Amino acid sequence: MRHDHPTPVLGALGLFTVLLGAALPLIDFFIVNVALPTIDRDLAAGPAVLELVVAGYALAYAVLLVVGGRLGDLAGRRRLFLLGMAAFGLTSLACGLAPGAWTLVGARVAQGAAAALMLPQVLATIQAATSGHRRARAMSLYGATAGLSMVAGQMLGGVLVAAAPLSSVFGQSAGWRSVFLVNVPVAAVGLVLAARAVPETRSDRPAPVDVPGTLLLTASLVTLLAPLTEGRAAGWPVWTWVCLALFPFSAYAFYRVELRADRLGREPLVPPSLLRLESLRRGLALVVPFSIGFGGFMFVIAVALQQGLRLGPAAGLALAPMAAAFFAASLAGPRLVRRYGSRVVTAGGLIQATGVLVLALTVWGRWPGLGPLGLLPGVAVAGLGQGLQLPVLFRIVLSGVPAARAGVGGGVMTTTQQASLALGVATLGALFLSLVPGSGMRDALVVTLLVQLAAVVLTTLLSLRLPRRVV
């Protein structure tokens, strides 16, 4: 089979394979939420190190996503996908076998870096190897995969921690180790399928890696996300405030360096000219509040259900109605978009807002006797609204990006999404955990849900500015 045909075509098996590669990194971002209590118990990690288990992965992932996209444009997207998949399997094995807390943190950072090599190649391959109706369908499936992966990660984590299938080997630590080791056979299957079914694509005019831009983007994301994710657990030491003070300066320096490179005809890491695309600019403006609210919700609900309602690992399964509703909405989305265009996103925002409000009222009125059945209406309606938004947003963001810049465009979008998810965990998580000691678990959860509701309202209002027609 030739993988470098002048007009590469991504078939059904190839699409399944790259979507599997898209699912793994997002599943692993959320899968540890349910496993954190058992990691703490087994490795005596403590709150600050537990935060690093989550934040180390998120930081490495967010920082290197755009670089991963650029490397795929340069060296070949299939090649980088295979490399990233292999590295993801090996680093997952290292996480599952970690003998101590700090070893686990290091393995999680490496796992995030591997994910950043793999994920940008997914969108870039779809953009370069599909067209017309097939591309629209593939983008809808990508959005559905992304949303389902975020919910399924928490659900799968709950199942694995509760089942502890490796208990005869690892004893009491089997549950949390399983959430990482399950990736190993999946990555092996992904490698075999990718070698057979994913075509090789690369940019016609590949650009070298923008070293100054990469360093400044790294500095910007680290100075923002590191203190916000680690600050509360570490007691807000001086370094957290220094980082937050440096963030606006590093972000401004990144923008100026990229703007100058763009004007001089070079290839910056994040070309400001790319943001002149209306579809990309306005779509990203919605991805940010959507992802902040989603990331924060998934973390907070995991803590509240495990520690507040004492559901333990079964807390992940309480989100099954959200996943089912999201999947149903994702299947209906392409047909609705053809008829109603971007107004599907607006409708999805209104439905999600209703679900979050129902959930807040349910928590307020039925805590602490609330169980999975009581949560069902709120999470199902919220999932339905999310399923009408996320797949369409991804499709809109990349609709105007030329195939030659598919890697950069995909890297920009996934970096924005990942950084926003991490920011949501940091900000809404910190708000929730800071309110618990004084207000109690119920009131802290209600306040956090209302803050998320505000993010949903903002997303809904911004959706009115989207191009009406979706390509």
Side-chain angles (χ1 to χ4, degrees), residues 2 75 96 132 134 189 217 257 285 299 307 327 343 357 370 406 440 444 459 461:
R2 289 185 62 186
R134 292 181 64 253
V189 171
L217 176 63
V257 165
F299 175 77
Q307 298 182 9
F327 182 66
R343 291 300 172 261
L357 183 59
L370 186 60
T459 304
L461 293 174

Side-chain angles (χ1 to χ4, degrees), residues 358-386:
V358 168
L359 188 57
L361 293 173
T362 303
V363 170
W364 177 263
R366 298 182 62 178
W367 193 278
L370 186 60
L373 285 179
L375 293 168
L376 191 151
V379 297
V381 173
L384 185 68
Q386 291 162 349

Side-chain angles (χ1 to χ4, degrees), residues 1 6 30 39-40 49 85 103 112 114 150 224 228 236 276 311 337 348 355 380 421 426-427 432 448 460 468:
M1 178 181 295
F30 289 97
I39 293 173
D40 186 22
V49 178
M85 180 73 79
T103 308
M150 291 186 275
L224 175 66
L228 289 178
W236 297 105
R276 287 200 286 269
L311 294 183
V337 167
L421 287 171
T427 53
F432 171 75
T448 308
T460 306
R468 183 65 182 269

